[in-house]
Amino acid sequence: EDQVTQSPEALRLQEGESSSLNCSYTVSGLRGLFWYRQDPGKGPEFLFTLYSAGEEKEKERLKATLTKKESFLHITAPKPEDSATYLCAVRARQGQGGKLIFGQGTELSVKP
Amino acid sequence: SAVISQKPSRDICQRGTSLTIQCQVDSQVTMMFWYRQQPGQSLTLIATANQGSEATYESGFVIDKFPISRPNLTFSTLTVSNMSPEDSSIYLCSGPYILAANTGELFFGEGSRLTVL
């Protein structure tokens, strides 16, 4: 069964304190791993797509990396506005019609 | 990126009633997806809405409880039928699946927050 597990569930950082979020996955034929940011009361906002092991994507203070079993979202020198829930999702083989399977999310809080 | 609009944004409903949520996309898309996000939880796919055919439901979700319409390539509705307090959730519409660019990401609406009393 396709599965996505994120850790930690919650992470509290001081402003400027770099850290990483983990997303472990088990899927049949990965067709993309996706990172989203979700603010309270909002829909998920797309951040990155990764397709193959070794691939990296960057956006401002965020960098996403991918291996054959997991992905990391590295946050460098975070600011309070980076506080949000970060969701990881995978798309499995063609037969599943393009749907995304989401992990439980990591709730990030950055204090000034 | 596409813009996805949902209505209503929130509602408070009585047990036993039904509510229809509308989703409008500003560009034509092949598939639209309906997700549920229960309080403090992540997103669970309810069904895939296909234009011109019946929706495809995930395990644990049935058409009688969550009927879906997809009359054209930019619009879909999800009805939550015979509601109970357990149906209190955020319901999210997503799309498009950008086949042309093959980037694969889904964009989401702001969600419809339902509270069932």
Side-chain angles (χ1 to χ4, degrees), chain B residues 10 36 53 77 85 87 96-97 99 102-104 108 110:
Chain B
R10 59 179 62 232
R36 181 175 74 181
S53 64
T77 66
D87 295 319
Y97 183 31
L99 296 176
N102 199 32
T103 51
F108 286 82
E110 292 292 284

Side-chain angles (χ1 to χ4, degrees), chain A residues 6 31 34 36 38 40-46 49 51 87 91 94 97-105, chain B residues 31 33 35 37 40-45 48 58 90 92 97 102-111 113:
Chain A
Q6 291 187 246
R31 291 178 56 235
F34 304 81
Y36 286 83
Q38 187 174 27
K42 302 279 189 178
E45 175 188 348
F46 170 73
T49 307
Y51 287 102
L87 299 169
R91 173 173 287 123
Q94 180 71 39
K99 69 180 183 183
L100 297 188
I101 301 166
F102 282 83
Q104 294 298 105
Chain B
M31 290 182 283
F33 302 89
Y35 283 85
Q37 188 172 29
Q41 303 295 314
S42 190
L43 281 72
T44 301
L45 181 65
T48 302
E58 297 298 305
I90 300 172
L92 292 151
Y97 183 31
N102 199 32
T103 51
E105 65 266 24
L106 296 181
F107 296 95
F108 286 82
E110 292 292 284
R113 182 183 295 269

Side-chain angles (χ1 to χ4, degrees), chain A residues 32-103:
Chain A
L33 184 140
F34 304 81
W35 282 98
Y36 286 83
R37 167 187 172 134
Q38 187 174 27
D39 293 296
K42 302 279 189 178
E45 175 188 348
F46 170 73
L47 293 174
F48 303 110
T49 307
L50 302 166
Y51 287 102
S52 56
E55 189 175 358
E56 298 183 353
K57 294 276 181 70
E58 285 191 66
K59 180 180 181 180
E60 297 180 353
R61 295 177 292 282
L62 301 176
K63 183 169 82 172
T65 62
L66 181 66
T67 72
K68 289 185 178 180
K69 293 184 178 181
E70 59 191 349
S71 176
F72 292 94
L73 185 65
H74 306 277
I75 303 176
T76 302
K79 299 182 178 182
E81 52 262 42
D82 294 322
S83 297
T85 296
Y86 290 85
L87 299 169
C88 171
V90 297
R91 173 173 287 123
R93 62 186 180 277
Q94 180 71 39
Q96 295 195 3
K99 69 180 183 183
L100 297 188
I101 301 166
F102 282 83

Side-chain angles (χ1 to χ4, degrees), chain B residues 45-66:
Chain B
L45 181 65
I46 297 172
T48 302
N50 308 299
Q51 196 272 331
S53 64
E54 283 195 2
T56 304
Y57 289 82
E58 297 298 305
S59 176
F61 297 96
V62 295
I63 188 171
D64 289 345
K65 176 67 174 179
F66 298 101

